[in-house]
Amino acid sequence: MAEYKIYHNPRCSKSRQTLEILNEKGVDVEIVEYLKNPPGKSELTAVIKALGVTPSDIMRKKEAEYQEAGLDQEGLSVEQQVEKMIAYPKVIERPIVVKGNKAVVGRPPENVLDLID
């Protein structure tokens, strides 16, 4: 099992740049193309906890799917937000890199350096 995991979108320049930094540092990284293979509820909840944020903090609010999913409605519970993020993975901010119980969003890509010992 890889020490690092990146939730990656190969079409995103920031995601590609973050992956490039990980590769340059020679770390063992598992690549999860989350648009093809969205994380499950417990996995996404663990990522959110590792980031130390709320689900709303890692949503791409300008994506059409954000409104399509009804994520712009007030009063959604954390559980409802997570379920909608799984159903509409395009709204999940990218890239997210996880190492153990810590995680960072690769915006800017250099944020990943905080996870590398």
Side-chain angles (χ1 to χ4, degrees):
M1 191 161 121
E3 186 177 8
Y4 293 81
K5 182 183 283 191
I6 183 171
Y7 293 89
H8 178 61
N9 178 351
R11 296 185 62 190
C12 170
S13 64
K14 298 294 183 202
S15 196
R16 289 192 310 270
Q17 290 167 10
T18 302
L19 182 57
E20 187 177 322
I21 290 171
L22 291 167
N23 287 331
E24 285 172 0
K25 294 294 183 182
V27 301
D28 185 20
V29 62
E30 175 187 350
I31 300 169
V32 177
E33 290 191 34
Y34 71 95
L35 294 178
K36 293 179 182 177
N37 300 302
K41 185 177 177 180
S42 62
E43 184 178 0
L44 184 55
T45 300
V47 168
I48 292 166
K49 183 177 179 181
L51 285 166
V53 298
T54 67
S56 179
D57 292 333
I58 60 164
M59 288 184 198
R60 299 176 59 85
K61 296 172 177 71
K62 294 181 181 172
E63 292 289 343
E65 288 83 352
Y66 179 80
Q67 288 186 332
E68 241 180 74
L71 285 161
D72 55 343
Q73 298 174 24
E74 297 216 9
L76 290 176
S77 70
V78 168
E79 187 171 330
Q80 288 171 316
Q81 290 175 12
V82 168
E83 287 171 0
K84 288 179 181 280
M85 290 169 79
I86 293 165
Y88 295 85
K90 203 169 185 182
V91 302
I92 301 171
E93 187 59 85
R94 61 183 181 255
I96 297 173
V97 180
V98 180
K99 178 187 179 194
N101 61 358
K102 296 180 184 174
V104 296
V105 175
R107 290 188 170 271
E110 294 78 18
N111 283 352
V112 75
L113 296 172
D114 293 341
L115 288 180
I116 299 173
D117 297 326

